[in-house]
Amino acid sequence: MSHEANVIARHRIERAAAACREGDVLAEQHSYGGAANRYYYAALHAARALLATRNVDSARHAGVIALFQQHFVKSGDFPADVARALPRSFEKRLSSDYSDFVDISAEEVGRVRTEVHASVDLCREFLSRL
């Protein structure tokens, strides 16, 4: 991995950690839609951190999800059950940000939180081994 890719990957994983913390604060304040938004962005930044190590990226969210599946899940480098945090949190963010009369429950946010924290932690661990 090039020095530039390493710097980008480290920056993105720190953004992921910050978004997790922001999601935790919002969830504690019962702002579940905001928390779902921040958890999704945590998962997105973490996935983009790993993609930087392969010198691939996408400007579209769906593209990042597809590239992450292709380069890390299908290759067996990242467990599929943990990788599901990204598309699941994407769906929650879309519904909470754009759908009328949709309320995200504390339980739903709790599930997303658990999945995303595990995914971000595993991405950080993956990067530490490089």
Side-chain angles (χ1 to χ4, degrees), residues 2-67:
S2 72
H3 174 71
E4 182 180 345
N6 186 20
V7 169
I8 291 169
R10 304 279 174 215
H11 171 72
R12 289 177 180 171
I13 202 68
E14 290 309 316
R15 288 183 73 188
C20 276
R21 290 189 301 271
E22 292 162 2
D24 292 346
V25 168
L26 289 166
E28 288 170 12
Q29 295 176 356
H30 307 284
S31 180
Y32 302 127
N37 176 289
R38 298 317 303 150
Y39 290 138
Y40 164 65
Y41 278 98
L44 181 73
H45 292 312
R48 290 186 68 226
L50 293 193
L51 289 173
T53 68
R54 305 276 167 94
N55 296 313
V56 293
D57 198 10
S58 175
R60 298 181 62 240
H61 292 227
V64 171
I65 293 168
L67 286 170

Side-chain angles (χ1 to χ4, degrees), residues 54-110:
R54 305 276 167 94
N55 296 313
V56 293
D57 198 10
S58 175
R60 298 181 62 240
H61 292 227
V64 171
I65 293 168
L67 286 170
F68 189 74
Q69 291 292 323
Q70 176 187 350
H71 287 272
F72 289 93
V73 179
K74 288 182 181 174
S75 68
D77 292 332
F78 202 88
D81 60 328
V82 178
R84 287 188 191 103
L86 181 57
R88 285 182 182 166
S89 62
F90 181 57
E91 292 171 16
K92 290 294 177 193
R93 186 200 67 104
L94 285 178
S95 65
S96 69
D97 283 357
Y98 298 110
S99 298
D100 294 326
F101 309 112
V102 171
D103 291 320
I104 305 297
S105 70
E107 292 79 23
E108 289 173 300
V109 166

